[in-house]
Amino acid sequence: MSSLPRVFLTREIPEPALARLRSHVEVDLWPEETAPAYQELVAHMSSADGLFSMAGDPIDAAAIAAAPKLRVISQMAVGVDNIDLAAAGRRAIPVGHTPGVLTETTADLAFGLILAVARRIAEADRFVRQGLWRAWTPWTMVGKDVWGATLGIIGMGGIGQGMARRALGFGMTVLYSAPRAKPEVAGATQVALEELLARSDFVSLHAPLKPETRGLIDARALSLMKPGAVLVNTARGAEVDQAALYEALRSGRLGGAGLDVTALEPIDPGDPLLRLPNVVITPHIGSASEATRLKMAELAVDNLLDGLQGRRPRFCANAASLPGASS
Ligand code: DGY
């Protein structure tokens, strides 16, 4: 029997990081591409010293309670809204995450969604593939300008700031709403959320999912947006009331949406949003570049090994709820 600590890894990770992990721990690798169902997760956690998780794995208080040996959770994501951080903290289990390394890559995707929706790129591609391109006309696939328009950024952490830099390069006016002013982001103006919604041609969500951001973009918020404006979400699906968004798009009140995250992931193939031509939906790929996914995996391995060796992970998401933290 191995004397190495046992780690449940809920999805395969890039090979160099997996090889390094295997050299330190006994890896219990979930063999499927799909996530383990809750009962499977709990069963595998019950014998694990460490958990290497992915965004969306439902790590609630009951799952943590059913894992008596668990000493660290390391998530290969910056967002940890799927983990009960307080329950982990009560057991003195640190939760590692991967901020920083995915910032620019995620901002690239969010800005790409703005361009894709505004310039109808996905729709135009479908049009060509369907053999519908018969002539150049002044009205074929006419969209909206991105350059010179106003971008409203909700949440001004690293990814929001990356969006501001990109938008300023496109000659956009940049507004943001955030709990704290970010004077270091030259050229971006902090405004109240209502003002941001009313003035922006494009609204992009970059706030973490917390009780105060759950359902933030509801029917009322959507009604405050400029007619024809575009909503982009690369944060978490639960920040948007998806039924209200569908209605705002269907009625023509909003001009389009670019969604990398949805309320249910994967989205139900029958979801009415998928029938709207002015919506671009990608499968939660904000951080999906080869280089960034490797950095995330390596950092998650570092965090995991830190925890197993009795140190606080270098990037710890629940430091405030660990014993000894000042409240
Ligand atoms: C994150 O890092 O939180 C992403 O959403 C998952 O890659």
Side-chain angles (χ1 to χ4, degrees):
M1 205 175 125
S2 166
S3 59
L4 293 174
R6 187 176 169 84
V7 169
F8 180 45
L9 172 55
T10 68
R11 238 75 97 238
E12 193 169 349
I13 58 173
E15 180 49 34
L18 182 55
R20 187 158 67 92
L21 187 62
R22 285 193 197 281
S23 70
H24 292 275
V25 306
E26 183 193 342
V27 177
D28 172 19
L29 170 59
W30 179 248
E32 314 287 338
E33 186 188 342
T34 50
Y38 181 73
Q39 287 312 330
E40 297 280 6
L41 179 73
V42 170
H44 285 260
M45 282 174 67
S46 68
S47 59
D49 301 282
L51 173 66
F52 192 123
S53 59
M54 307 289 153
D57 289 339
I59 305 161
D60 60 10
I64 292 168
K69 292 165 61 189
L70 195 65
R71 285 186 276 143
V72 58
I73 298 171
S74 178
Q75 174 141 302
M76 189 175 140
V78 62
V80 285
D81 47 276
N82 56 309
I83 303 174
D84 189 327
L85 297 179
R90 282 194 294 278
R91 283 265 315 278
I93 297 170
V95 176
H97 68 149
T98 62
V101 292
L102 48 74
T103 300
E104 300 298 339
T105 302
T106 306
D108 276 353
L109 195 272
F111 209 81
L113 286 173
I114 289 180
L115 290 167
V117 176
R119 299 302 307 273
R120 304 173 66 182
I121 293 173
E123 198 184 343
D125 177 76
R126 290 193 294 272
F127 175 85
V128 173
R129 287 169 197 268
Q130 287 163 13
L132 299 173
W133 182 19
R134 304 220 317 272
W136 188 95
T137 76
W139 55 83
T140 303
M141 288 291 146
V142 168
K144 297 174 197 302
D145 277 327
V146 173
W147 73 274
T150 296
L151 172 65
I153 299 171
I154 300 178
M156 204 50 157
I159 301 171
Q161 292 176 35
M163 283 298 277
R165 286 192 298 276
R166 284 160 179 74
L168 292 167
F170 271 67
M172 299 180 87
T173 298
V174 179
L175 308 176
Y176 71 95
S177 84
R180 278 177 300 284
K182 298 283 167 111
E184 66 274 25
V185 189
T189 307
Q190 187 182 25
V191 294
L193 179 62
E194 281 75 6
E195 181 177 346
L196 180 147
L197 294 170
R199 288 178 55 193
S200 299
D201 302 294
F202 300 91
V203 172
S204 194
L205 274 166
H206 299 287
L209 178 61
K210 293 186 169 171
E212 56 274 26
T213 56
R214 187 173 288 278
L216 181 71
I217 303 301
D218 57 8
R220 179 178 170 274
L222 291 165
S223 76
L224 295 176
M225 285 175 69
K226 252 178 145 168
V230 168
L231 178 73
V232 167
N233 189 6
T234 54
R236 286 294 182 264
E239 295 177 28
V240 175
D241 177 339
Q242 213 162 278
L245 175 64
Y246 171 77
E247 190 44 39
L249 290 162
R250 191 206 54 78
S251 67
R253 175 76 184 58
L254 283 198
L259 307 175
D260 186 47
V261 289
T262 48
L264 178 69
E265 294 187 6
I267 191 168
D268 184 321
D271 193 295
L273 277 175
L274 295 173
R275 295 201 296 270
L276 297 177
N278 52 346
V279 178
V280 175
I281 304 191
T282 49
H284 202 148
I285 55 169
S287 60
S289 75
E290 285 173 19
T292 293
R293 284 286 162 87
L294 179 56
K295 285 182 199 159
M296 291 166 70
E298 294 284 15
L299 184 48
V301 170
D302 290 338
N303 283 331
L304 185 101
L305 296 178
D306 285 342
L308 289 176
Q309 289 159 9
R311 293 188 299 272
R312 182 168 290 190
R314 57 205 68 188
F315 290 96
C316 183
N318 68 336
S321 47
L322 289 173
S326 54
S327 52

